[in-house]
């Protein structure tokens, strides 16, 4: 299959509450269809396969490519239902996975809880072997047959092989992997020198362990949907990676650890495409679904990619350390705040919202699926900012009465509050939590939110974006086309991308050109091997090299570009000068007396699936007057009711409106709670100016007045 062999690009994104699908043209980006289905948490593949069949009834799947953002790996990890995993580590280093790092989630908390290792002590096996940091063998590998027998007898479903300094010499790991595959072909094997060939023993081991722990579950899920896709004649099924790129099912099954942030990454890619086309360089991507809220920052027209993140870091709102993963991932902050976040009262009588979510089953009370505990969505149902019309064709039977009962029973009566006060308090606390997330991503990183636009997406994002924008100080809110299916749309916009790395620990002044060239060539070979499993013409693949550098004695690095893989490598002096310039720019100082050290060499290989498609951000002609489609009662915090105009997007493309208002928009509802000017473009995107409304004129009650 080549880049040009499909007419349709189909995006499917599985969320905690809904599974979203869009069908677009592979040529010009025109959106032919978009819909939501209830997610099936007991088996997420059920909703995905149902989406396949629904699309197949109208569009030819044999002329299509599906790009799928999935949370399957994340769910397996946070729910701790991964495979029984064994760890093979060098004798004397089997406890690295439990010793972790020196830092703790909360330094002065004597009762701090640390997430337990994914491999128990009884599943860790010592390997008789030893290499030094330069790869020289100090002790030959021995006892392989006995070790393999012990692993099989343990009942392990997956195995991690993480030997000391295997980034410098992977021979022993390869021998063990070969022996295990011969003895047990169905065993999922994660080899650290293949998954993460970098220094830092704990981080490399942790990454390989997560890969093994979620491997069988992810592989089973991908195999199931891929089998149905082939049965329906679909020529290619692509999976979104944490770095925002796409990969084939073969590569995704081999490296499931690269899929942990698959869903949020798709939303960031969509935001980046729309931000560039609308000529906005500084954007805060805000995505709020049914379970979580995510924030990512685009600065200067680029989204930041980091090389390490902590998975499963928050449990019931507390930082428990999580599992570090050395893998390229878009820099996204995520909290347990979604439309399904449950409101509850703690032992001290304080109202809390989240992080526990009602999810898709039973879901918020107002969905009528058996949920009885109040959620953020229920609060909106009570005050009148959500109605049945917002859930048309979603399979949800909306009931305000059930939402009223849930909030009255669990919040209003125990707190001695009115229904209106309780509902608004739930929303205000959720908004405050998400506003803090925006500040973490901007203010705490030295960025001024007043220079940024908030791009709001997700089923619940547009409902809260204006309030968050006002509280955080952003200059405007932009609601893109199809905000409720934005991650599904973003899945179709990604490039095939593989980020590869290899440790080469050497002072820059002592780099031998042939050694650096050899490492780059090896990375290129790995990239070509991965690309051979992708549905692209390999002649279109482009590769960029970079290196992680630091001053000798430091623990953290800066990444410096080394140019395209097709160009000659820069000289040692050029590499050092470029690092010192970047260090000066980042930290404001240079350390002229310290030597510069190269730590890791990196290569990013990319290939496009199709030609860039416009996101259709036409401005349109402003209409003088657009009457509301209807009006519905809005319940204020003081208990008073006022009619709120409700517009349908299809009626007001190109219009200039003003809040307060509700706008029903492609799987979501936009809530403008004050007299903010609204510009609706011809393609359905909205621009809401926030700076025009002084804080003293805002109609929404402050959180302090509710609690």
């Amino acid at each position: 299959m080549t880049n040009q062999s499909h007419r349709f690009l189909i995006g499917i994104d599985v969320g905690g509450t809904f599974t979203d699908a869009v069908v677009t043209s592979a040529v010009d980006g025109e959106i032919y269809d978009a819909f939501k289905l209830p997610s099936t948490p007991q088996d997420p593949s059920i909703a995905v396969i149902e989406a396949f069949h629904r699309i197949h009834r109208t569009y030819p799947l044999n002329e299509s490519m599906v790009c799928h953002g999935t949370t399957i790996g994340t769910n397996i990890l946070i729910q701790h239902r991964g495979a029984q995993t064994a760890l093979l580590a060098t004798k004397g280093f089997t406890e690295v996975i439990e010793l972790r790092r020196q830092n703790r989630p909360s330094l002065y908390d004597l009762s701090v809880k640390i997430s337990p290792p994914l491999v128990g002590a009884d599943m860790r096996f010592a390997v008789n072997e030893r290499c030094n940091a330069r790869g020289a063998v100090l002790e030959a590998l021995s006892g392989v047959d006995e070790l393999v027998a012990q692993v099989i007898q343990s009942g392990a479903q997956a195995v991690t092989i993480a030997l000391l300094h295997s980034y410098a010499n992977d021979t022993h790991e390869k021998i063990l992997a070969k022996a295990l595959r011969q003895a047990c072909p169905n065993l999922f094997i994660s080899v650290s020198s293949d998954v993460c060939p970098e220094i830092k023993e704990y981080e490399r081991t942790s990454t390989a362990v997560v890969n093994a722990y979620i491997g069988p579950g992810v592989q089973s899920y991908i195999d199931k949907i891929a089998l149905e896709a082939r049965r329906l004649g679909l020529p290619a099924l692509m999976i979104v990676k944490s770095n925002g790129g796409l990969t084939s099912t073969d590569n995704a099954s081999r490296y499931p650890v690269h899929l942990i942030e698959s869903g949020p990454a798709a939303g960031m890619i969509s935001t980046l495409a729309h931000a560039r086309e609308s000529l906005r360089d500084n954007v805060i991507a805000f995505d709020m679904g049914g379970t979580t809220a995510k924030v990512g920052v685009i600065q200067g027209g680029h989204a930041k990619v980091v090389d390490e993140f902590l998975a499963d870091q928050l449990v019931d709102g507390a930082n428990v350390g999580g599992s570090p993963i050395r893998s390229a991932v878009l820099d996204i902050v995520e909290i347990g705040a979604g439309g399904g976040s449950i409101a509850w009262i703690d032992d001290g009588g304080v109202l809390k919202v989240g992080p526990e979510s009602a999810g898709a089953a039973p879901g918020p009370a107002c969905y009528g699926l058996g949920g009885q505990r109040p959620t953020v969505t229920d609060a909106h149902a009570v005050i009148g900012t959500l109605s049945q019309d917002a859930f048309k064709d979603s399979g949800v039977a909306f009931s305000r009465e059930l939402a009223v009962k849930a909030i009255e029973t669990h919040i209003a009566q125990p707190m001695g509050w009115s229904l209106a006060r309780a509902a608004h308090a739930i929303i205000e606390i959720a908004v405050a939590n998400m506003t803090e997330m925006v500040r973490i991503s901007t203010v705490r990183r030295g960025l001024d939110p007043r220079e940024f636009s908030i791009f709001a997406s997700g089923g619940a994002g547009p409902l809260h974006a204006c309030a968050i924008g006002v509280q955080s100080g952003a200059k405007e809110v932009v609601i893109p086309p199809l905000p409720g299916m934005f991650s599904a749309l973003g899945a179709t916009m990604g490039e095939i991308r593989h980020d590869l790395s290899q440790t080469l620990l050497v002072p820059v002044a002592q780099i031998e050109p042939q050694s650096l060239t050899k490492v780059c060539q090896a990375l290129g070979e790995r990239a070509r091997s991965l690309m051979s499993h992708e549905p692209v013409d390999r002649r279109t693949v482009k590769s960029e090299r970079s290196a992680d550098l630091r001053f000798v004695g430091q623990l953290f690095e800066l990444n410096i570009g080394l140019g395209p893989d097709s160009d000659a490598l820069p000289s040692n002096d050029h590499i050092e000068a470029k690092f010192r310039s970047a260090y000066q720019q980042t930290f404001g100082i240079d350390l002229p007396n310290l030597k510069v050290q190269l730590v890791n060499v990196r290569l990013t290989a990319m290939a496009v699936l199709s030609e860039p498609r416009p996101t259709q951000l036409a401005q349109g002609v402003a209409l003088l007057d657009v009457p509301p489609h209807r009006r519905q009662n809005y319940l204020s915090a003081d208990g008073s009711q006022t009619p709120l105009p409700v517009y349908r997007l299809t009626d007001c493309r190109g219009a200039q409106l003003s809040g307060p208002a509700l706008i029903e928009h492609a799987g979501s509802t936009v809530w403008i709670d004050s007299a903010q000017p609204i510009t609706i473009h011809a393609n359905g995107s909205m621009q809401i100016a926030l700076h025009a409304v002084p804080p003293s004129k805002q109609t929404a009650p402050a959180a302090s007045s509710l609690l």
Side-chain angles (χ1 to χ4, degrees):
M1 179 173 177
T2 66
N3 298 46
Q4 307 302 324
S5 60
H6 48 269
R7 290 172 54 202
F8 304 98
L9 285 177
I10 298 168
I12 297 178
D13 178 70
V14 177
T17 306
F18 291 106
T19 294
D20 304 330
V22 297
V23 181
T24 71
S25 166
V27 178
D28 60 11
E30 181 180 354
I31 297 168
Y32 296 125
D33 196 7
F35 59 88
K36 285 178 174 286
L37 296 171
S39 291
T40 49
Q42 72 281 8
D43 183 355
S45 67
I46 294 174
V48 175
I49 291 173
E50 185 180 348
F52 285 170
H53 284 272
R54 176 165 169 174
I55 294 168
H56 186 55
R57 289 195 290 268
T58 307
Y59 302 94
L61 284 186
N62 62 341
E63 300 178 25
S64 306
M65 175 180 286
V66 169
C67 304
H68 176 33
T70 175
T71 56
I72 183 67
T74 307
N75 292 340
I76 291 172
L77 188 60
I78 65 177
Q79 294 170 15
H80 297 140
R81 53 182 179 87
Q84 175 84 328
T85 304
L87 171 63
L88 275 57
T90 302
K91 180 175 59 179
F93 293 86
T94 55
E95 309 308 314
V96 165
I97 191 67
E98 188 154 11
L99 291 173
R100 303 173 67 89
R101 299 190 275 209
Q102 182 179 357
N103 60 333
R104 305 194 318 172
S106 181
L107 186 59
Y108 300 108
D109 185 355
L110 298 180
S111 61
V112 66
K113 294 182 179 179
I114 303 295
S115 48
L118 298 176
V119 180
D122 60 330
M123 295 296 288
R124 303 173 202 155
F125 299 91
V127 181
N128 295 319
E129 69 87 42
R130 186 69 179 265
C131 292
N132 68 15
R134 297 194 176 277
V137 177
L138 302 180
E139 179 183 345
L141 176 65
S142 63
V144 173
D145 292 340
E146 295 84 349
L147 194 62
V148 169
Q150 291 176 22
V151 171
I152 294 175
Q153 188 176 5
S154 73
Q157 300 165 310
V159 177
T160 299
I161 305 173
L163 304 181
L164 193 66
H165 301 308
S166 63
Y167 57 86
N169 185 343
D170 61 0
T171 303
H172 292 171
E173 287 196 344
K174 286 182 175 179
I175 292 172
L176 285 172
K178 182 179 180 180
L180 283 166
R181 289 192 179 101
Q182 288 176 342
C184 191
N186 294 326
L187 201 62
F188 188 96
I189 300 175
S190 177
V191 181
S192 75
S193 56
D194 178 39
V195 177
C196 178
E198 299 182 18
I199 62 169
K200 299 183 179 178
E201 201 65 24
Y202 169 60
E203 289 81 352
R204 177 166 53 84
T205 301
S206 174
T207 303
V209 164
V210 172
N211 195 62
Y213 183 75
I214 69 174
V218 171
Q219 196 173 67
S220 175
Y221 170 83
I222 290 176
D223 287 348
K224 188 173 182 179
I225 62 174
L227 178 64
E228 186 64 15
R230 287 193 298 270
R231 195 184 71 80
L232 294 173
L234 185 72
L237 172 62
M238 307 298 292
I239 309 296
V240 181
K241 298 171 64 177
S242 301
N243 62 9
L246 295 165
T247 190
S248 66
T249 54
D250 287 347
N251 286 330
S253 295
R254 181 178 173 184
Y255 302 109
V257 72
H258 295 164
L259 311 182
I260 293 292
E261 293 292 294
S262 171
M268 275 292 289
I269 290 301
S270 193
T271 299
L272 183 60
H274 285 80
R276 286 175 175 172
E277 189 158 335
S278 64
L279 304 179
R280 290 178 171 89
D281 289 335
N282 296 332
V283 166
I284 298 167
F286 169 60
D287 177 0
M288 181 182 178
T291 306
T292 59
K294 284 83 67 176
V295 165
V297 173
I298 295 168
Q299 187 179 17
H302 298 281
K304 184 179 180 182
V305 177
V306 295
D307 297 317
E308 180 181 314
F309 67 104
L310 291 167
D312 195 23
Q313 184 180 14
L314 299 177
V315 176
D316 294 332
N319 186 343
V320 297
S323 299
I325 295 175
R326 294 287 294 179
S327 172
V329 59
L330 289 169
D331 191 11
I332 299 171
V333 177
E334 183 172 354
I335 64 170
S341 292
I342 294 172
W344 54 287
I345 301 170
D346 70 6
D347 294 339
V350 176
L351 176 63
K352 300 291 182 67
V353 179
E356 185 181 355
S357 173
C366 64
Y367 285 8
L369 299 175
Q372 298 183 0
R373 299 169 69 185
T375 67
V376 175
T377 296
D378 292 312
H380 282 286
V382 166
I383 70 172
T385 46
L386 279 181
S387 68
Q388 175 62 53
D389 286 8
F391 297 92
K392 186 178 180 181
D393 299 326
S394 69
V396 170
F398 180 85
S399 171
R400 181 180 183 272
E401 291 72 22
L402 292 175
V404 169
K405 181 180 178 181
I407 292 179
E408 282 277 17
T409 302
H410 294 279
I411 305 298
Q413 291 177 3
M415 296 293 286
W417 291 350
S418 67
L419 173 66
R421 183 180 181 185
H424 276 275
I426 292 170
I427 294 169
E428 287 294 324
I429 291 173
V431 168
N433 290 339
M434 291 182 286
T435 300
E436 180 60 22
M437 184 173 58
V438 171
R439 293 193 181 108
I440 289 172
S441 299
T442 54
V443 176
R444 295 195 187 182
R445 297 180 179 182
L447 304 177
D448 187 348
R450 292 173 297 183
E451 299 174 358
F452 285 78
S453 305
I454 293 181
F455 269 51
S457 63
L463 201 56
H464 301 85
C466 287
I468 292 169
V470 168
Q471 290 192 19
S472 64
K475 65 180 181 180
E476 64 175 356
V477 166
V478 176
I479 312 295
L482 287 181
M485 291 87 162
F486 207 52
S487 288
L489 188 62
T492 69
M493 295 179 174
E495 299 177 324
I496 291 175
R497 173 169 173 160
H498 293 288
D499 290 280
L500 306 171
S501 62
Q502 177 66 59
T503 289
L504 180 65
L505 196 62
V506 59
V508 170
Q510 298 176 19
I511 296 175
E512 297 178 357
Q514 61 270 26
S515 64
L516 184 55
T517 299
K518 184 178 179 180
V519 170
C520 289
Q521 288 175 342
L523 291 174
E525 284 297 322
R526 288 174 57 194
R528 284 187 284 276
S529 174
L530 291 168
M531 284 294 180
S532 69
H533 295 277
E534 307 289 5
V536 293
D537 185 340
R538 273 175 277 177
R539 291 172 298 181
T540 67
V541 176
K542 296 181 179 179
S543 299
E544 289 283 339
R545 300 165 307 200
S546 64
D548 297 336
L549 296 109
R550 66 189 182 189
F551 287 114
V552 172
Q554 292 183 330
L555 295 177
F556 300 96
E557 303 87 32
L558 287 178
N559 185 259
I560 304 300
L562 299 181
D565 192 36
S566 56
D567 292 354
L569 285 164
S571 66
N572 294 354
D573 289 343
H574 181 82
I575 294 173
E576 177 164 342
K578 197 169 181 180
F579 167 75
R580 289 186 180 276
S581 175
Y583 196 91
Q584 175 79 40
Q585 186 176 4
T586 303
F587 300 108
I589 60 170
D590 187 15
L591 302 174
N593 296 324
L594 293 185
K595 294 181 179 180
V596 179
Q597 183 181 47
L598 187 150
V599 180
N600 299 308
V601 181
R602 300 189 181 276
L603 184 140
T604 298
M606 294 175 289
V608 296
L609 280 173
S610 59
E611 294 301 318
R613 299 169 299 142
T615 53
Q616 303 172 1
L617 285 177
Q619 294 294 312
V621 179
L623 304 177
L624 294 178
D625 184 35
V626 178
H629 172 63
R630 68 178 190 280
R631 295 182 183 272
Q632 64 188 42
N633 284 336
Y634 170 73
L635 181 64
S636 299
D638 60 7
S640 62
Q641 295 193 40
T642 55
L644 194 64
V646 181
Y647 298 89
R648 293 185 308 188
L649 179 74
T650 52
D651 298 335
C652 49
R653 294 177 185 270
Q656 297 280 348
L657 304 175
S658 179
L662 294 173
I663 302 174
E664 293 172 349
H665 185 7
S668 66
T669 299
V670 184
W671 181 22
I672 301 94
D673 59 358
S674 303
Q676 293 142 334
I678 311 159
T679 301
I680 304 178
H681 301 309
N683 73 319
S685 65
M686 301 182 195
Q687 180 179 351
I688 304 160
L690 302 179
H691 60 276
V693 183
S696 61
K697 301 296 183 181
Q698 294 165 15
T699 59
S704 59
S705 68
L706 296 170
L707 304 179

